[in-house]
Amino acid sequence: MLLTITTTYRPATDLGYLLHKHPDRLHKFPLSFGQAQVFYPEATEERCTAVLLLDIDAVRLVRRGRGGGLGLSQYVNDRPYVASSFLSVAIAQVYGSALHGRTKTHDELAHTPLPLEARVVAVPCREGEALLRRLFEPLGYAVTAERSILDPTFSDWGMSDYYTITLSITTTLQTLLSHLYVLIPVLDDAKHYYVDEHEIEKLLRHGTDWLPDHPEVELITHRYLRRQRNLTRNALARLADSEVIPTAEQSIQQDTEETIIEQQVGLHQQRLAAVVATLKQCGARTVIDLGCGEGKLLALLLEETQFSRIAGMDVSFRMLEIAQKSLKLDRLAAKQPERIMLFQGSLVYRDPRLHGYDAAAIVEVIEHLDPPRLAAFERVVFEFARPSGVIITTPNAEYNTKWETLPAGTMRHPDHRFEWSRTEFQAWAQRVGARFGYQVNLHAIGDEDEQVGSPSQMAVFELKGRNA
Ligand code: SAH
């Protein structure tokens, strides 16, 4: 079993500090199931590679009843050779400090995104390369996967289910290791030890920062927990409660606060009406509501026969449950199964489920995204999903001074990461339009004040060279 990690950060040999392993030495670690070694085949200022080589003691595994299966399969199996949960255990034991982001001397470096490349040999993946990509690409990796043939001496036996994968990314070493720690056993879809509640803690410890937003959060959680339904349900609920996503109770409370602040003007109704009118006008027949929340826009879209296919996506599972109930989706789906669907996903990850709609509505959502994630959001929507029309609404920060209930200098919603003035929104929209080839028009929503404008603002993007 082989895991190599390479960096071209300068000086590249600093990798040794982060891994707590000096590049000039060979490091050996006895483990309960074999032996691990770490060494550096290259260690220069420009490029440094650390290899973690894991030798599994197959005989010891059989004696401990972990060889897998009975009879011959106890002795003849892939366990000693493939990347599996043994590799995760080795990562935790041999690279433990790096996995937990601990360092005595190089704290800043440990928190700095570095150009990294990880290569893992013999990763089992019965579902093929597509699953490998679905797991790693949303996290920002460039993935190359080389499938091994089953046996070079008997080429007509065909290909095996094992891949050598290379993952390139710029991120912290801790992030890279936590991704591998969780996803390798997910791909292998097996574990060499008994899985119970403690496994949820591990998943949360290593996944809280990235898993809740991952489009495959359910598959990852289910397989990581060895397909135990109760554990999976429990873990998903706890992941949804982690700080990455506000809990539904918080969201509902926050939404109520926002509603109270805005209700003097019935602003949200005006906003939704403006969005529906624009969608009708641009002739869209299929629409996706991204960050659909409780489904208020979806309810209005369903009333219009022009829209033959409607989808709602949100990062919060609880919001989707609320939408499902308030739209009476179960009943609706029985009558018009093709017309509407809801699904969980995140706007900052590329997702093929977002493709194929005439228009996308993103109503009061972008201000909930962390500014460093905006660039990813832009590409997800305008480069990959690429609908003919995109409608985005967001508050106009200038108007906040008009609300007596809103203390000066605060935003309308505790979860808002930013609120833009009219010029800021316009500048952003123009830049995005120019970059991705969309024509942009800006509109005011709500009563307009001479000085500070209207409370809400809407940008309508139309793909150039096509009639949306
Ligand atoms: N569009 C709805 C809800 C707006 S509230 C309406 O106008 O009524 C913002 C919504 O964005 C919340 O439901 C929140 O869960 C969702 N959200 C926040 N970050 C998201 C992300 N990264 N991907 C998808 N949805 C997100």
Side-chain angles (χ1 to χ4, degrees), residues 255 268 272 289 291-293 296 313-316 319 345-348 363-365 368-369:
D255 286 344
H268 200 47
L272 295 178
D289 182 6
C292 63
K296 290 191 188 127
M313 180 196 89
D314 203 284
V315 76
S316 155
M319 279 295 164
S346 171
L347 271 167
V348 292
V363 178
E364 307 296 288
V365 176
H368 292 264
L369 304 177

Side-chain angles (χ1 to χ4, degrees), residues 213 244-246 251 255 258 268 271-272 289-297 313-317 319 345-349 361-369 373 377 393 413 415-417:
D213 273 354
V244 183
I245 307 170
S251 302
D255 286 344
E258 189 173 19
H268 200 47
R271 186 186 282 134
L272 295 178
D289 182 6
L290 299 169
C292 63
E294 306 165 30
K296 290 191 188 127
L297 177 65
M313 180 196 89
D314 203 284
V315 76
S316 155
F317 188 70
M319 279 295 164
S346 171
L347 271 167
V348 292
Y349 291 120
I362 305 161
V363 178
E364 307 296 288
V365 176
I366 57 166
E367 62 278 5
H368 292 264
L369 304 177
R373 298 264 178 114
F377 157 79
T393 78
H413 190 295
D415 186 51
H416 283 182
R417 309 299 157 95

Side-chain angles (χ1 to χ4, degrees), residues 329-437:
L329 219 62
D330 296 341
R331 229 185 302 158
L332 209 67
K335 278 192 274 173
Q336 301 175 301
E338 306 287 297
R339 192 157 175 236
I340 177 147
M341 67 178 284
L342 297 179
F343 61 90
Q344 190 177 23
S346 171
L347 271 167
V348 292
Y349 291 120
R350 186 177 177 176
D351 187 338
R353 294 174 300 176
L354 311 185
H355 298 191
Y357 293 90
D358 297 338
I362 305 161
V363 178
E364 307 296 288
V365 176
I366 57 166
E367 62 278 5
H368 292 264
L369 304 177
D370 281 323
R373 298 264 178 114
L374 268 181
F377 157 79
E378 290 162 18
R379 295 191 66 198
V380 166
V381 173
F382 294 94
E383 183 179 336
F384 300 120
R386 211 161 172 75
S388 304
V390 179
I391 301 174
I392 298 186
T393 78
T394 194
N396 164 18
E398 294 162 83
Y399 198 90
N400 290 356
T401 52
K402 300 283 284 178
W403 275 312
E404 284 152 17
T405 45
L406 197 65
T410 42
M411 293 190 243
R412 290 183 208 180
H413 190 295
D415 186 51
H416 283 182
R417 309 299 157 95
F418 60 86
E419 283 177 356
W420 276 333
S421 68
R422 285 168 294 173
T423 8
E424 283 168 325
F425 184 43
Q426 184 169 12
W428 175 82
Q430 300 289 10
R431 182 180 58 72
V432 168
R435 175 165 174 209
F436 296 102

